[in-house]
Amino acid sequence: MRDKIDRYAPDVIEPKWQKRWAASGLHETADVADRPNFYFVTMYPYPSGELHVGHWYAMAPSDCAARFLRMRGHNVLFPMGFDAFGLPAENAAIKRNMHPAAWTEKNMAHMREQFTMMGASIDWRREVVTCYPEYYRWNQWMFLRFLEQGLAYRAMAPVNWCPKDQTVLANEQVIGGRCERCETPVIKRDLEQWFFRITRYADELLRFEGIDWPERVRVMQTNWIGRSEGAEIAFDVHGHPAEKIRFFTTRPDTIYGATFMVLAPEHPLVAKITTPAQRREVDEYVARARLMEEIERTSAERIKKGVSTGAFAENAFTGERIPVWIADYVLSTYGTGAIMAVPAHDERDFEFAKRYGLEIREVISPDGSEHAAVAEPYVGEGIMVRSGPFTGTRSEEGKRAVAEEAKRRGIGGPSVIYRLRDWLVSRQRYWGTPIPIIYCDDCGMVPVPEKDLPVVLPRDAPFTAEGGNPLARVESFVRTTCPSCGKAARRETDTMDTFVDSSWYVYRYPDPKIDTAFMNEAVARRWLPVARYTGGIEHAILHLLYARFVTKALRDMGYLWFGEPFRHLRNQGNIVFGGRKMSKSRGNVQPPDEYVARYGADTLRLFMMFMGPWTQGSDWNAEGIEGVHRFLNRVWTIALSEPGEGPRDETIDRLLHRTIAKVTADVDAYHFNTAIAAMMELTNELQHAHGPSRAEATEKLLLMLAPFAPYITEELWERRAGTDSIHRQRWPAWDPAMTTLDEITLVVQVDGKVRDRVTARAGLPEAELREIALASPKAKVALDGRTIDRTIIVPDRLVNIVTRRSS
RNA sequence: GCCGGAGUGGUGAAACUGGCAACCACGCACGCCUCAAGAGCGUGUGGGCGAAAGUCCUUGAGGGUUCGAGUCCCUCCUCCGGCACCA
């Protein structure tokens, strides 16, 4: 029998089924079905050229879960697309003299083939490609809506600037303070930039009610938003009656210890209040701070240096004149860019005061008594001392009381600030969505009228190594007429951050072709919001936060009926190779194709899932791939051999039910590795089984394996004369009564040490278990000379005989 | 420094609400099959002592709770990830 079976040949059967599935439309999802709809999305990739092992690790298990949900009775939409705008395409244009569009198209074509090779059950009719005008016109449409709502605005902002390439860089293009391309240290430059007002949603973004997201991601977003409660207070500046220095503090209870103030070097008041005597020193310091910003300024433990402005402010609570300094440890981008410095109760202020001989005055005491000297800052809470009318007040109460007093006096009050800053969305780059704005000398800034959308990216642009934005040099693009007055005007040449594209793409999948709205609401109502979203943990903050923000904004404008895009989120860990996360830009990608050629896609899929827990990630090491390949070979042989004659085998039947229950629970929980281990165990047992139990178990094994290894199971299903595609079958059912063992191994312990193991029938009463244990000869030996105190019985598991200590 | 996550055989790893530590694999060793190689199949494989039966030890370190701890509590160490002068 056995020798008639042909060899398992993935190189033959995989292409065969690729063709057949494409021809039969197996992966096309209907919007209306006799089963409930389920929207399952895996983060789309950047079309970097080819799918590497990291992409497989993201996709293969997700595809398995999508297929599983189909067999479990859902109508699953599992779409795919490409995050097709972005800088690497532009760099490729410069390096290889190839247009970004052509480079991107070539990469997408190759990657689509690779997805097909993988066996991913993608409905390609719904593909979304963000660099097509049909897509990005809706970025532009949204931009205009945001503008109307005050959610998009233009402001001067410091941005990352590479002096050699003469271009602005995105944050992600700044690596260790240097330009990713030429490694020149990056400096800050002030430029007019476009922002999305994400801070308007800061509070709502802190709430995660009703969504099932990993704790880790919620914590990361919460920290990123960084809510702080405290007070905002303003002090007068001596000799400048029109100016006040506003500052934020989380410790208003320490205000009587504010012996000086510090402004960020970029603070607008610096130029106004600096005294002539200090001007030169201040100017030099400010210039230096700007130049060194990225590399030095952010380095962790540097010495705090600053200079005096020569000006004085008045501490409104003590009435004292206090000097105003500038120092780069105060950030212009956080709070108001100014602080009251309380050296006795803040480590940074303490260090600064020590260095420059500024007064250090204790105002919070752990025990309520005053201390003469402050050897080191006390940052905890305590009782206010030397604090005028507040002396004797506890910190918590003092915080509130001081803030209230400031409010009463009209100089401030309680306040909440966030670390989160508005989202800078403009990029001085070609390969992105043009921002739909026109500048007219007479009318000023004019939005492009909706009827004129999309503002199409011109194909021809000068791509040169000198850098700068190629779009700004395309005269035919820049020159236009004012929509408002008709006179000659200039277009905005900045393009949008690609995170804008990805913040709403999941709303496009249900009908990517609709050209009257960003989303086909009638169709989308059947799918949205996303029931399951999977992707890399590296997107925990940026993409996932932006998508939440855009969703809330669209909801408030009446375009969406929900405020959270992703109901359920799970992140796979990273595939690490050579000590770093695998990615094209890091140059450490491992191509999957050679493994596919050698073992087939099913083996590689299975191996990806077998390596370890999916959410944990893994170091890439292909050594174990042989094991899963052997497993598929065994399945092949078993499925094509005759089961033989024999009676039903209850042990096999029970194992089968147990396996179905385990695999079901495991796939649901993304525990692919243990699901595969369970199927391997079943397979190992089936090799020695015969008769109807084996026949039934083999068929159900194939069904369970189908989401993991879609090709081999489809081929075997066909050869075993199964009807239709295996991928249209229902997931096997199990009987809970059959998931228990009929025979158990009872562990007999004496004083917690294992002394014997006895085979017994399952479900015996405690009294009987005790008798069995006491009858064990080995237990008797161990019990010799001891008095039994009590016995602990865990049904079907263990009996522990506890003896009394004899002395 | 702060916030997460994790430390288990030679390796990847498993272990439900505390109940047989190491499932399933890789690798290795020996055997079967073969002219041979590969593939396939079988047996063994945490460590110590022992010829064996057996026996003691073992989940980063140390303490604790418990009849019983990889799992719970305390202290500490190491690694990975994120944030990092955030007022």
Side-chain angles (χ1 to χ4, degrees):
Chain A
M1 210 68 229
R2 242 161 224 244
D3 49 10
K4 277 199 202 147
I5 299 170
D6 61 347
R7 197 175 57 88
Y8 166 45
D11 52 325
V12 176
I13 63 171
E14 292 184 359
K16 164 185 158 185
W17 287 106
Q18 282 156 17
K19 281 189 207 99
R20 287 232 223 146
W21 290 337
S24 68
L26 182 72
H27 301 141
E28 293 176 6
T29 305
D31 290 302
V32 183
D34 53 359
R35 296 165 296 159
N37 282 358
F38 192 100
Y39 191 21
F40 190 149
V41 185
T42 285
M43 291 177 191
Y44 64 179
Y46 178 78
S48 57
E50 58 195 347
L51 297 185
H52 55 68
V53 162
H55 289 116
W56 273 68
Y57 192 71
M59 274 303 294
S62 293
D63 181 62
C64 174
R67 290 171 174 276
F68 168 78
L69 286 163
R70 284 195 192 98
M71 293 178 78
R72 294 281 285 162
H74 294 97
N75 183 42
V76 178
L77 175 57
F78 186 64
M80 187 43 64
F82 292 98
D83 186 15
F85 271 139
L87 192 58
E90 230 167 302
N91 288 341
I94 294 162
K95 274 186 212 140
R96 302 165 218 211
N97 196 27
M98 189 173 185
H99 194 275
W103 184 81
T104 304
E105 283 297 345
K106 182 183 75 124
N107 292 346
M108 290 192 297
H110 184 218
M111 288 166 82
R112 278 185 206 108
E113 275 174 33
Q114 291 182 300
F115 273 122
T116 301
M117 199 162 87
M118 182 194 298
S121 57
I122 294 164
D123 184 351
W124 284 107
R125 298 172 310 165
R126 317 226 193 194
E127 183 188 44
V128 162
V129 177
T130 58
C131 68
Y132 295 163
E134 300 78 51
Y135 184 84
Y136 68 68
R137 72 173 285 185
W138 300 107
N139 280 343
Q140 295 170 342
W141 174 87
M142 262 175 226
F143 187 94
L144 297 177
R145 294 290 83 76
F146 277 33
L147 198 63
E148 289 167 2
Q149 300 294 319
L151 284 171
Y153 66 95
R154 197 166 142 84
M156 190 67 101
V159 294
N160 303 306
W161 179 261
C162 173
K164 180 158 176 285
D165 285 354
Q166 291 287 295
T167 184
V168 160
L169 299 172
N171 283 335
E172 50 271 27
Q173 290 150 354
V174 180
I175 295 160
R178 292 169 186 274
C179 170
E180 73 163 354
R181 201 149 25 125
C182 66
E183 299 194 346
T184 306
V186 166
I187 59 166
K188 289 283 183 190
R189 253 188 115 173
D190 283 333
L191 287 173
E192 285 272 323
Q193 296 293 307
W194 285 99
F195 292 87
F196 281 172
R197 205 179 298 278
I198 189 171
T199 51
R200 187 184 283 180
Y201 287 91
D203 258 327
E204 193 186 343
L205 288 168
L206 284 169
R207 295 199 297 272
F208 296 90
E209 282 113 36
I211 56 176
D212 173 15
W213 280 31
E215 162 86 12
R216 187 180 172 190
V217 176
R218 299 200 313 260
V219 167
M220 281 167 83
Q221 291 203 353
T222 302
N223 291 343
W224 182 264
I225 294 166
R227 187 178 196 272
S228 292
E229 284 186 23
E232 191 179 306
I233 296 171
F235 284 173
D236 291 336
V237 188
H238 279 265
H240 295 271
E243 310 293 350
K244 283 178 181 293
I245 299 174
R246 289 168 45 241
F247 59 89
F248 175 82
T249 177
T250 54
R251 294 296 302 270
D253 55 316
T254 64
I255 200 159
Y256 283 81
T259 52
F260 61 100
M261 301 194 79
V262 187
L263 305 182
E266 299 87 349
H267 196 285
L269 277 182
V270 171
K272 285 186 193 159
I273 65 172
T274 299
T275 58
Q278 292 298 105
R279 171 109 16 223
R280 232 189 64 168
E281 213 186 330
V282 166
D283 287 350
E284 270 173 24
Y285 183 86
V286 170
R288 213 152 17 105
R290 314 217 64 197
L291 279 171
M292 70 173 162
E293 192 142 19
E294 278 316 302
I295 295 180
E296 288 177 63
R297 211 172 147 173
T298 57
S299 75
E301 291 300 317
R302 46 189 291 268
I303 301 157
K304 287 174 184 36
K305 287 185 185 167
V307 295
S308 170
T309 62
F312 287 86
E314 181 176 314
N315 182 328
F317 281 73
T318 62
E320 292 168 320
R321 266 162 56 101
I322 55 174
V324 179
W325 286 65
I326 61 171
D328 60 13
Y329 80 90
V330 173
L331 308 174
S332 62
T333 47
Y334 185 75
T336 62
I339 62 163
M340 68 167 192
V342 185
H345 305 292
D346 182 282
E347 280 166 20
R348 297 151 301 177
D349 298 345
F350 181 83
E351 188 189 333
F352 195 80
K354 276 274 179 199
R355 183 176 181 85
Y356 293 107
L358 297 158
E359 189 189 347
I360 300 169
R361 183 193 302 156
E362 180 197 50
V363 292
I364 300 290
S365 166
D367 57 7
S369 63
E370 295 184 11
H371 303 84
V374 177
E376 53 182 44
Y378 174 70
V379 299
E381 309 217 318
I383 293 160
M384 293 170 73
V385 294
R386 300 187 181 97
S387 295
F390 297 95
T391 299
T393 311
R394 299 198 60 82
S395 288
E396 306 109 78
E397 169 61 17
K399 286 180 190 177
R400 211 183 48 77
V402 170
E404 285 306 321
E405 174 64 12
K407 191 174 176 186
R408 203 185 58 76
R409 293 203 222 163
I411 56 167
S415 174
V416 173
I417 63 165
Y418 301 89
R419 209 189 72 105
L420 181 71
R421 292 177 236 155
D422 278 338
W423 175 11
L424 197 163
V425 294
S426 42
R427 297 286 181 271
Q428 289 67 43
R429 285 290 171 181
Y430 167 80
W431 194 233
T433 304
I435 291 175
I437 293 291
I438 289 167
Y439 300 101
C440 168
D441 287 341
D442 293 343
C443 310
M445 190 187 89
V446 183
V448 173
E450 207 177 312
K451 66 174 172 54
D452 293 342
L453 297 184
V455 176
V456 177
L457 200 58
R459 185 172 159 91
D460 292 315
F463 301 104
T464 61
E466 283 110 64
N469 184 0
L471 197 52
R473 297 205 291 267
V474 182
E475 276 300 305
S476 60
F477 175 80
V478 175
R479 280 192 200 168
T480 185
T481 52
C482 174
S484 160
C485 69
K487 284 203 198 124
R490 297 177 70 77
R491 279 190 196 280
E492 171 65 84
T493 56
D494 283 359
T495 55
M496 291 183 211
D497 182 2
T498 57
F499 279 113
V500 174
D501 313 349
S502 57
S503 66
W504 66 277
Y505 75 112
V506 296
Y507 304 142
R508 191 76 184 160
Y509 279 135
D511 179 5
K513 301 203 172 65
I514 187 160
D515 59 2
T516 53
F518 76 93
M519 171 180 83
N520 183 336
E521 189 179 334
V523 174
R525 286 249 177 209
R526 301 180 190 283
W527 297 105
L528 294 174
V530 177
R532 273 199 192 195
Y533 196 46
T534 62
I537 186 67
E538 66 275 17
H539 293 109
I541 295 170
L542 294 174
H543 161 57
L544 290 169
L545 195 64
Y546 295 150
R548 293 179 68 214
F549 156 63
V550 168
T551 299
K552 291 172 196 306
L554 290 171
R555 174 205 59 196
D556 288 346
M557 286 183 256
Y559 296 111
L560 292 175
W561 55 96
F562 50 86
E564 289 287 351
F566 314 116
R567 274 217 184 108
H568 166 110
L569 171 75
R570 288 296 179 273
N571 304 102
Q572 79 270 8
N574 288 327
I575 286 291
V576 173
F577 186 66
R580 311 193 67 186
K581 174 177 135 49
M582 197 178 287
S583 87
K584 180 105 187 240
S585 58
R586 290 185 173 88
N588 64 341
V589 296
Q590 286 291 296
D593 296 30
E594 60 185 82
Y595 298 106
V596 175
R598 187 146 165 214
Y599 300 103
D602 277 340
T603 295
L604 188 56
R605 284 173 67 106
L606 213 53
F607 180 57
M608 290 286 158
M609 295 185 251
F610 187 62
M611 287 194 298
W614 190 55
T615 51
Q616 190 185 292
S618 180
D619 281 329
W620 174 247
N621 178 356
E623 265 174 25
I625 197 168
E626 290 280 354
V628 287
H629 189 62
R630 281 176 203 153
F631 164 61
L632 289 182
N633 265 306
R634 281 198 289 275
V635 171
W636 179 267
T637 307
I638 288 168
L640 295 180
S641 328
E642 290 299 329
E645 298 297 314
R648 278 210 82 88
D649 180 337
E650 195 185 328
T651 305
I652 291 289
D653 291 345
R654 286 181 176 272
L655 176 62
L656 173 65
H657 284 264
R658 223 167 37 246
T659 305
I660 298 172
K662 175 154 180 64
V663 173
T664 308
D666 280 351
V667 178
D668 235 3
Y670 304 83
H671 296 163
F672 306 101
N673 54 331
T674 48
I676 293 167
M679 289 190 283
M680 284 175 165
E681 269 187 87
L682 176 63
T683 305
N684 292 346
E685 291 308 313
L686 286 184
Q687 287 188 294
H688 313 294
H690 306 279
S693 294
R694 165 169 165 157
E696 186 193 336
T698 303
E699 180 179 315
K700 291 185 175 168
L701 171 67
L702 291 180
L703 289 168
M704 280 189 279
L705 189 58
F708 294 80
Y711 294 109
I712 187 174
T713 49
E714 183 79 304
E715 176 73 16
L716 291 171
W717 188 257
E718 184 188 53
R719 291 193 189 206
R720 287 164 59 91
T723 53
D724 197 0
S725 166
I726 193 170
H727 303 298
R728 279 204 250 264
Q729 306 303 311
R730 294 304 286 258
W731 187 256
W734 72 95
D735 175 0
M738 286 291 286
T739 57
T740 53
L741 294 162
D742 49 347
E743 233 178 29
I744 55 110
T745 303
L746 185 72
V747 173
V748 182
Q749 293 184 338
V750 175
D751 290 331
K753 292 198 180 216
V754 178
R755 293 300 171 187
D756 201 2
R757 295 185 172 89
V758 189
T759 303
R761 240 177 46 243
L764 292 178
E766 293 196 3
E768 217 164 311
L769 291 173
R770 183 181 294 116
E771 265 172 49
I772 291 170
L774 291 171
S776 155
K778 287 179 184 170
K780 276 184 185 153
V781 171
L783 281 168
D784 188 41
R786 292 165 188 253
T787 317
I788 296 173
D789 183 39
R790 57 183 163 140
T791 49
I792 311 274
I793 295 163
V794 183
D796 285 349
R797 283 188 185 273
L798 141 161
V799 175
N800 186 10
I801 305 163
V802 184
T803 66
R804 204 171 298 144
R805 310 271 181 266
S806 35
S807 57

